[in-house]
Every structure is written in C-alpha cells, then in structure tokens.
C-alpha cells in the first residue's frame, strides 16, 4: 500500500495523470484498422495526383482534334497565328504553379529577365507542367504535338504568392478568372463543335465567347441551348470542389453525386476516354443532341476514367472549405448574423449547419426559391440544389447563384427577404452578410 501511495505521489509531482496520459503515444493501428489507414492514405495520394495531373486521354480532343496547342504555340513556333504569351494566358485566367518552377527560373522572373510576351515562354511553362490544369505532350525534337486538360483547370487556382496568377496551388477553389470559352474559341479547328451542334464556326465562337470569365456551359452538348430565352449567355459559374464531404448532390441543379459528376465531366466535357451512362439523356425532347449522339451511353476502350473515380472522389471529399482570413469580416457582426441566420432569417432551414445544405435530398423547385426555371429545366431533376455555403468568401467573383444573377451577398439576402416575407431590418441583413463572409 505504501509503495502504491509513493507511485501515485510521484505521478502527481511529475505533472499529474493527465500529463502522463497525454505524453503516451497512441498505439499504431493493427489489423483492419491498419488496412483502412493505408487504403485511405493511398487513395488520398492517388486522388490528388489524378485531380492535378491526369488528362484521362483528353489530348485526343483538345490537341489532336481542336489543335489548341498550335494556337498557343503560334506560327513562329510551329503552330498558327500569333500564339499565346504568358501575359495573355494569365489575362484569360490560366494559373502557374510556382512549385513547379525551377529556382533559376524564379530568379529570372523576379529579375524581369523572362519575356512574358513570347509564346515560347508559355510553351516552356507547359513542358514544366507548371500551367495549372494543362499538360503538353512534346515530340522528340522538343516541339509540342498535343495537349490535354485536368480537373484542376477549372477547380483550382493559386495563392498569388509569387505574382498575380503565379503561386502555390489551391485545389478545389473555383477558378472564377478562367475564360474557358475564349480559350476554346482560339482553336484552329472547331469542327467537333460545329458538327455536334449543327452550327457554323461564327455561331460557335459567338456562343463560346458569350460565357465570360468563370463560366462554363456543361449542358450545351446535351440540349444544344446556346442562349437563354432572354438572349443572355447560358453558362453557369464554375463551382468550388471543396467542402463536399457529407453533401448529397453535386452541381447547381443536383444532377447526381460527386463521382457521377466526375464521370460526366471527365468523359463528356473534358472529352477523356471513359465510360459514362445515364439513360435520362435518351430523352430526345429534353436532350436532342445527347439523344442523337448517344452520349448518355459512352464506352471508350481503353477506359481511362472509371478506375480513377474512387480515388478522385476521396480526394475531393478530403478538401476542406477554406477558412476566411482574419479581418476579412466584422467579427461582432458575424456573431449577430449567426443568430439571424439560425433564427429570424430562417436561412438554416435549408442551409443546415455545419453542412450548410440539407442532409438528404437537397433539391427545391424554382418557384420555391423565386427564380426562373431555365437552368433547372436543363437538368433531369428540374430543380435547384441548396448550395453549401462554407468557404463562400473564396468564390464571390462573378456573383451568386448558378448564373451570377445576384452581384453581391446583400442582393441575395434581399431576394430571400422578399421571397419569404421575412421583414428583416437593414442591420440584420448586413449582419447576415458578415456571417456568410465568415463561415
């Protein structure tokens, strides 16, 4: 008994039992726990690599068919036209991964010794795999023979830590600077689009350039609707690919889950070689282009997409929504706004914390949320998804809702105040905005 008392006294003198327990290393996982841990880490690593670097064989479309690499290179470097300089590339939203740049090149860039007006510099950056979301394929003589794209093209940006448009990758962030339509319109051959849509080159270019920065039309190749009935562009804002863990449906109109959309985009929009199946696209009234081309039942050999979907899914679910920077919102107003969000504003009825969307079937009819049905009716659901809000501060550029119809957050709050007759005061509305900026 005396010995036990001395032992306890020694533990207390050393800082207490809590210190002893805290200092003990957790046991290494064994058996199935070890298998799960290894599997999770392997899938995470593979998913990151796929998200950043896998083209899924899309070079057969972007390079071989559209010959977009020739427009980038320019006539002086074996291509066509003036070429695309780094300055031009940055101006249309392409980003450069600073971690992919050799230190010597970084030093030259800082010293202003790199010609950013020469397409040859763009080619060099492509060969270094430094252009986020784009891969060049070179001939033995060093010339570029093709190019493909990755998920990161639209769903990653950089932190601008080196220079505007050049920095460390931010995976999952929506690239709201990227002008996809303008980039595609530069392709020497737009025949794949003219054949698909039954339109001439001038019309195709008009459609592509109508989208503007941060927008893309992922239904055009299914329903052929190039513009809204009011004549406005029909593209939707590029959404973020972070904060999706626990969220049931993906995309603005809830087409399907994250892996569904990865297959849809990987095969149909990136034009990778893979399998995609959805009988809903056989509806010739809603999807005349898809029904004619059979794109709802695409099966490529070899399939370079399907085997990547699981790891890609896990990586995307692992990307957290970024925390708002300190000082970017009013902390006191944030706390007041949280009370309004969860109470008088009734925001949390649909945007249920901490997911900030509904657990379950998170879809609503257009009339329920007070917007037109154009985009909803391009979806098999004919509805709109309750968008998760965490990290909203990082993708405010381009506006809000699927098409950016609301320029500011206060415009969104005003809309819902009217739609649901909430009777919020101006102070309450402004507090909700600060809460939205901070979550």
């Amino acid at each position: 008994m005396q010995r036990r008392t001395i032992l306890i006294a020694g533990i207390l003198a050393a800082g207490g039992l809590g210190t002893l327990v805290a200092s003990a290393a957790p046991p290494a996982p064994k058996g199935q726990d070890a298998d799960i841990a290894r599997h999770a880490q392997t899938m995470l690593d593979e998913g990151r690599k796929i998200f950043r670097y896998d083209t899924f064989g899309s070079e057969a479309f972007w390079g071989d068919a559209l010959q977009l690499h020739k427009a980038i290179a320019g006539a002086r470097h074996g291509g066509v036209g003036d070429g695309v300089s780094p300055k031009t590339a940055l101006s249309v939203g392409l980003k450069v991964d600073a971690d992919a740049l050799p230190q010597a090149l970084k030093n030259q860039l800082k010293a202003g010794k790199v010609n950013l007006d020469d397409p040859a510099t763009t080619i060099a950056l492509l060969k270094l795999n430094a252009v986020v979301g784009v891969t060049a394929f070179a001939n033995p003589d060093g010339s570029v023979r093709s190019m493909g794209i990755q998920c990161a093209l639209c769903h990653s940006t950089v932190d601008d830590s080196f220079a505007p448009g050049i920095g460390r990758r931010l995976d999952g962030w929506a690239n709201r600077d990227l002008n996809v339509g303008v980039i595609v319109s530069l392709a020497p051959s737009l025949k794949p689009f003219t054949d698909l849509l039954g339109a001439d080159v001038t019309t195709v270019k008009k459609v592509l350039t109508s989208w503007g920065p941060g927008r893309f039309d992922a239904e055009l190749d299914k329903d052929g609707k190039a513009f809204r009935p009011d004549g406005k562009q029909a593209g939707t804002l590029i959404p973020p690919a972070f904060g999706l863990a626990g969220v049931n449906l993906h995309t603005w109109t809830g087409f399907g889950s994250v892996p569904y959309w990865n297959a849809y985009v990987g095969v149909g929009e990136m034009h990778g070689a893979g399998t995609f199946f959805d009988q809903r696209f056989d509806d010739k009234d809603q999807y005349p282009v898809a029904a004619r081309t059979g794109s709802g039942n695409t099966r490529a050999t070899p399939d370079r997409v399907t085997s990547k979907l699981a790891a890609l899914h896990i990586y995307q679910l692992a990307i957290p929504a970024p925390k708002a920077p300190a000082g970017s919102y009013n902390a006191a107003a944030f706390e007041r706004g949280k009370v309004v969000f969860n109470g008088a504003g009734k925001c949390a009825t649909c945007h249920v914390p901490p997911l900030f969307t509904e657990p379950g079937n998170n879809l609503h009819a257009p009339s329920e949320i007070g917007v037109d049905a154009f985009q909803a009716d391009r979806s098999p659901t004919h509805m709109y998804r309750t968008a998760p809000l965490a990290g909203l501060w990082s993708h405010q550029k381009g506006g809000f809702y699927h098409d950016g119809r609301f320029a500011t957050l206060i415009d969104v709050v005003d809309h819902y105040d009217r739609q649901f007759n909430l009777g919020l005061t101006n102070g309450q509305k402004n507090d909700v905005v600060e809460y939205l900026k901070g979550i």
Side-chain angles (χ1 to χ4, degrees):
M1 182 70 179
Q2 183 180 11
R3 186 176 176 184
R4 181 180 175 189
T5 303
I6 293 171
L7 177 60
I8 293 173
I11 291 172
L12 293 173
L17 184 59
T19 302
L20 181 66
V21 172
S23 64
K30 298 177 181 178
Q32 187 191 38
D33 286 348
D35 291 340
I36 292 171
R38 282 193 298 268
H39 176 71
Q41 189 60 56
T42 297
M43 295 289 271
L44 190 65
D45 292 341
E46 289 181 359
R48 181 187 296 109
K49 184 178 179 181
I50 293 164
F51 185 89
R52 292 181 176 182
Y53 305 116
D54 204 312
T55 66
F56 305 126
S58 63
E59 56 272 16
F61 180 81
W62 301 99
D64 302 349
L66 294 185
Q67 300 174 31
L68 191 54
H69 61 290
K70 291 185 177 181
I72 293 173
R76 288 177 52 205
H77 305 287
V80 297
D82 296 331
V84 176
S85 69
K87 281 187 179 178
T88 300
L90 291 170
S91 73
V92 294
L94 290 171
K95 307 296 183 182
V96 176
D97 178 6
D99 289 337
L101 303 178
Q103 188 58 49
L105 179 55
K106 290 182 183 180
N107 294 340
Q108 290 178 320
L109 283 166
K110 287 181 178 179
K113 296 181 179 179
V114 177
N115 188 354
L116 299 180
D117 292 310
D118 189 349
T121 306
T122 306
I123 296 171
L125 291 171
L126 284 168
K127 289 180 180 179
L128 287 169
N129 246 358
V131 180
V132 175
V134 182
T135 292
F137 296 85
N139 292 310
D141 64 2
S143 60
V144 178
R145 62 175 173 80
S146 191
M147 60 166 283
I149 62 173
Q150 292 101 20
C151 305
L153 176 65
C154 293
H155 301 289
S156 287
T157 184
V158 296
D159 62 6
D160 296 339
S161 54
F162 188 89
I166 306 174
R168 304 196 70 178
R169 288 175 180 261
L170 296 171
D171 281 352
W173 290 45
N175 188 352
R176 293 287 174 84
D177 298 319
L178 187 68
N179 200 323
V180 181
V182 165
I183 294 170
V184 176
S185 73
L186 299 176
S189 174
L190 291 173
K191 191 173 187 300
F193 289 107
T194 58
D195 288 351
L196 178 70
L197 301 173
D200 58 29
V201 171
T202 300
T203 300
V204 168
K205 286 190 175 184
K206 179 182 178 182
V207 174
L208 292 172
T209 56
S210 72
W211 299 341
R215 291 183 173 86
F216 179 73
D217 190 345
E219 290 79 39
L220 177 62
D221 62 334
K222 304 297 189 297
D223 62 15
K225 293 181 179 179
F227 294 94
R228 290 170 47 90
D230 59 9
K232 295 180 180 179
Q233 64 85 31
T236 58
L237 288 168
I238 296 171
F242 55 58
L244 296 177
V247 177
N248 178 32
L249 294 174
H250 194 31
T251 77
W252 301 110
T253 56
F255 260 53
S257 63
V258 172
Y260 171 94
W261 197 248
N262 286 339
Y264 180 101
V265 171
V267 176
E269 310 310 311
M270 292 173 64
H271 298 274
T275 300
F276 174 76
F277 180 75
D278 188 341
Q279 283 185 320
R280 296 177 295 182
F281 290 116
D282 292 340
D283 184 340
K284 66 179 185 302
D285 294 324
Q286 186 177 9
Y287 300 110
V289 179
R292 172 170 52 82
T293 61
S295 60
N297 188 5
T298 302
R299 301 174 188 273
T301 303
D303 185 336
R304 295 181 56 179
V305 176
T306 305
S307 64
K308 318 288 177 57
L309 293 176
L312 186 59
H313 188 199
I314 285 180
Y315 179 60
Q316 286 176 284
L317 296 188
I319 305 174
K323 298 295 184 183
S328 64
Y329 60 94
N330 183 299
F334 173 93
E335 294 300 332
R336 295 194 302 268
K338 182 177 182 179
V339 174
V340 179
F341 186 94
N342 292 318
K346 300 182 180 180
C347 315
T349 304
C350 297
H351 298 279
V352 183
L355 293 178
F356 295 102
T357 186
E358 289 113 335
N361 190 42
N362 49 346
L363 293 174
H364 293 274
S367 58
E368 189 177 348
I369 56 176
V371 298
D372 65 85
F374 172 73
Q375 191 62 31
D377 286 343
R378 302 182 76 187
S379 164
T381 68
H382 297 279
M383 303 180 91
Y384 290 111
R385 179 195 68 156
T386 301
L389 302 177
L392 185 64
W393 66 273
S394 69
H395 51 98
Q396 298 184 66
K397 188 177 291 186
F400 302 92
Y401 267 48
H402 56 281
D403 54 6
R405 65 181 59 201
F406 298 116
T408 66
L409 285 172
I410 195 65
D411 292 335
V412 177
V413 176
D414 281 339
H415 169 75
Y416 280 119
D417 184 55
R418 292 189 300 270
Q419 176 67 14
F420 298 121
N421 298 310
L422 299 174
L424 298 179
T425 67
N426 288 336
Q428 287 176 312
K429 293 177 186 179
N430 290 326
D431 289 344
V432 169
V433 167
E434 292 305 301
Y435 180 65
L436 293 172
K437 288 161 59 178
I439 57 176

